């Protein structure tokens, strides 16, 4: 037209410049095309302006200096090998990956590099010029980068993995045991059964006849109330340290035995209460043979003969010989160890209550509880039967 504006074109000034400046592409970058159809060839639409209808591609960032620019330059100039050895001054700045790709150059002997100085063995692959070496270097650098990322990820996940492993270690161990049990057809081993009071009292326990302990005692914790309404006696249970016997079992046996109607609590005459602190009427003491002898000697009694127990009347202690408690006696045998322990308690506490030794006077009768049944059952041609109680017929 007369003003210089094409009929269907862009308005222009008289000097040919578009009236509103040059058209701008999205993103602030001018549109550009590369040989080879990277964005596709422009299409003409029925004689219209070329390029109309061509989709605008994702914009590329401007090249930045550094190794990536070296890659681009390598494609342009085949003779410029970005991985070729350089002088120390330029290698550091321009060849960041030379140590990865340049396998053909070995370290000088004795360089102290810490690596094998020999290059790769075997016949070399046919040379493909600088571009071939470039591809090799790029591939090596890419592999190195991928490995670094993988290792970093593993390190980052290590803490969580370690926690899971530590939390599940016990479950894994149980699974192994359970799998082994199922694999050989055997059922898992049953849990150990807790023994009852009677089962514990029916067993013997290892303890030497010549043992002498430390002479130090521990009171068995806890209390056991007197169950009756008769004359009340309080007592404490002491166990010598280092015996390896069940002190709680011993304390339970004392309480049950003394308050049995066949014992000194017969017909409500007496009742017995175990205490832990304060001053008791007496202390029932389970001690080694050597310590028992020491305490009994304080009251003029010799327990070394026949290794027996005693009531040390000059002291607060009723001494129960731990060897006899653990092993019993020939007069009762292992099968009656429970009854023998009841007899020991009743006999020695009987002395504390003021009863003296007696014997059976008729063949075949039960021996009185105050008979020295650890030493003998038969005397003067009379056979006595073992008996643990003051009132056995109750």
């Amino acid at each position: 037209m007369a003003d210089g504006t094409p009929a269907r074109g862009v308005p222009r000034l008289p000097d040919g410049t578009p009236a509103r400046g040059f058209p701008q592409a999205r993103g602030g970058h001018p549109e550009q095309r590369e040989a080879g159809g990277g964005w596709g060839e422009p299409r003409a639409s029925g004689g219209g302006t070329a390029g109309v209808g061509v989709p605008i591609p994702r914009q590329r960032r401007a090249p930045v200096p550094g190794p990536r620019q070296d890659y681009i330059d390598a494609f342009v100039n085949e003779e410029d090998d970005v991985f070729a050895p350089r002088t120390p001054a330029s290698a550091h700045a321009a060849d960041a990956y030379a140590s990865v790709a340049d396998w053909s150059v070995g370290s000088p002997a004795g360089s102290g590099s810490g690596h094998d100085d020999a290059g790769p063995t075997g016949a070399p692959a046919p040379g493909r010029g600088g571009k071939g070496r470039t591809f090799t270097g790029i591939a090596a650098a890419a592999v190195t980068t991928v490995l670094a990322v993988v290792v970093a990820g593993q390190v980052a996940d290590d803490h969580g993995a370690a926690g899971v492993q530590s939390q599940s270690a016990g479950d894994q161990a149980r699974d192994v045991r359970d799998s082994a049990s199922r694999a050989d057809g055997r059922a898992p081993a049953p849990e150990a059964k807790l023994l009852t009071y009677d089962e514990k009292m029916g067993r013997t326990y290892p303890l030497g006849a010549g043992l002498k302990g430390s002479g130090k005692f521990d009171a068995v914790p806890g209390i056991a109330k007197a169950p009756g309404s008769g004359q009340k006696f309080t007592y404490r249970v002491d166990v010598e340290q280092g015996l390896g016997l069940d002190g709680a079992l011993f304390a339970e046996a004392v309480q049950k035995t003394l308050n049995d109607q066949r014992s000194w609590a017969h017909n409500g005459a007496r009742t017995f209460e175990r205490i832990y602190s304060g001053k008791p009427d007496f202390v029932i003491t389970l001690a080694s043979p050597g310590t028992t002898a020491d305490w009994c000697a304080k009251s003029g009694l010799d327990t070394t003969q026949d290794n027996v127990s005693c009531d040390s009347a000059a002291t607060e202690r009723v001494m129960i010989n731990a060897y006899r408690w653990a092993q019993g006696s020939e007069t009762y045998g292992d099968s009656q160890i429970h009854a023998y322990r009841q007899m020991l308690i009743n006999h020695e506490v009987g002395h504390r209550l003021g009863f003296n030794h007696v014997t059976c006077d008729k063949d075949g009768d039960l021996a009185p509880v105050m008979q020295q049944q650890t030493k003998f059952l038969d005397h003067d041609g009379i056979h006595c039967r073992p008996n643990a109680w003051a009132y056995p017929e109750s």
Side-chain angles (χ1 to χ4, degrees):
M1 295 181 67
D3 59 358
T5 303
R8 294 182 179 81
V10 177
R12 296 180 178 274
L13 297 176
D15 61 358
T17 303
R20 294 181 180 83
F22 290 97
Q24 298 295 317
R26 289 188 301 174
H29 297 283
E31 223 177 76
Q32 72 179 56
R33 303 185 186 278
E34 294 178 354
W39 288 1
E41 295 295 336
R43 297 191 302 256
S45 57
T49 304
V52 177
V54 177
I56 298 177
R58 294 173 55 188
Q59 301 301 312
R60 297 189 179 188
R61 292 182 298 174
V64 296
R68 179 171 177 79
Q69 183 60 46
D70 288 344
Y71 298 159
I72 297 172
D73 295 340
F75 286 104
V76 176
N77 186 0
E78 186 173 313
E79 298 301 324
D80 183 11
D81 187 355
V82 298
F83 299 105
R86 287 176 171 83
T87 61
S90 62
H92 180 72
D95 192 11
Y97 303 99
S99 61
V100 175
D102 191 10
W103 288 356
S104 62
V105 180
S107 299
S111 64
S113 64
H115 300 287
D116 187 0
D117 295 334
T121 59
R128 293 179 294 174
K131 190 172 295 187
R133 291 193 298 273
T134 299
F135 284 127
T136 303
I138 292 172
V143 171
T144 302
T145 303
V146 171
L147 289 176
V149 172
V150 172
V151 171
Q154 291 175 344
V155 171
D157 293 340
D158 183 62
H159 295 292
V164 173
Q165 182 177 7
S166 62
Q167 292 171 1
S168 62
D171 295 336
Q172 292 174 353
R174 283 193 294 272
D175 291 342
V176 170
R177 291 194 297 269
D178 294 343
S179 298
S181 298
R182 291 190 293 267
D184 60 12
R186 294 180 297 174
E191 295 183 1
K193 176 186 175 183
L194 295 178
L195 298 178
T196 65
Y197 168 77
D198 288 335
E199 288 172 335
K200 293 177 182 178
M201 289 291 284
R203 293 186 173 192
T204 60
Y205 300 97
L207 197 138
L211 177 65
K212 182 168 184 178
S214 64
K216 298 179 180 180
F217 306 101
D218 290 327
V220 176
I223 62 174
K225 290 290 187 179
S229 58
Q231 182 183 5
K232 185 168 76 171
F233 293 85
T234 60
Y235 70 93
R236 187 180 76 236
V237 172
D238 283 1
V239 177
E240 187 175 13
Q241 297 176 1
L243 293 180
L245 298 176
D246 189 342
L249 174 64
F250 178 65
E252 184 179 5
V254 171
Q255 179 71 2
K256 285 185 174 181
T257 300
L258 291 180
N259 287 293
D260 194 292
Q261 283 299 303
R262 296 166 292 176
S263 183
W264 304 114
H266 179 67
N267 282 342
R270 305 174 186 85
T271 187
F272 299 86
E273 181 171 293
R274 180 167 72 89
I275 64 174
Y276 178 61
S277 59
K279 184 172 178 58
D281 293 315
F282 57 91
V283 179
I284 299 183
T285 306
L286 183 65
S288 64
T291 301
T292 297
D294 290 345
W295 277 88
C296 292
K298 296 179 181 183
S299 298
L301 302 172
D302 181 8
T303 59
T304 59
Q305 186 177 1
D306 298 319
N307 215 357
V308 294
S309 304
C310 84
D311 168 42
S312 183
T315 73
E316 64 180 356
R317 296 190 182 277
V318 174
M319 303 299 298
I320 303 297
N321 190 318
Y323 168 71
R324 290 300 182 185
W325 176 265
Q327 293 289 302
S329 70
E330 292 183 4
T331 53
Y332 274 70
D334 291 349
S335 64
Q336 297 187 78
I337 185 68
H338 189 164
Y340 176 77
R341 289 168 178 156
Q342 293 169 324
M343 184 276 296
L344 275 181
I345 295 168
N346 280 327
H347 182 95
E348 301 306 339
V349 172
H351 282 309
R352 179 63 57 158
L353 296 175
F355 295 95
N356 296 319
H357 287 150
V358 293
T359 59
C360 73
D361 54 9
K362 183 178 180 181
D363 189 51
D365 280 357
L366 291 173
V369 74
M370 296 310 298
Q371 182 172 318
Q372 292 178 296
Q373 295 181 56
T374 295
K375 295 182 178 180
F376 63 91
L377 286 174
D378 300 337
H379 70 95
D380 300 327
I382 297 175
H383 171 69
C384 305
R385 292 183 291 137
N387 168 51
W389 304 104
Y391 301 92
E393 303 301 332
S394 295

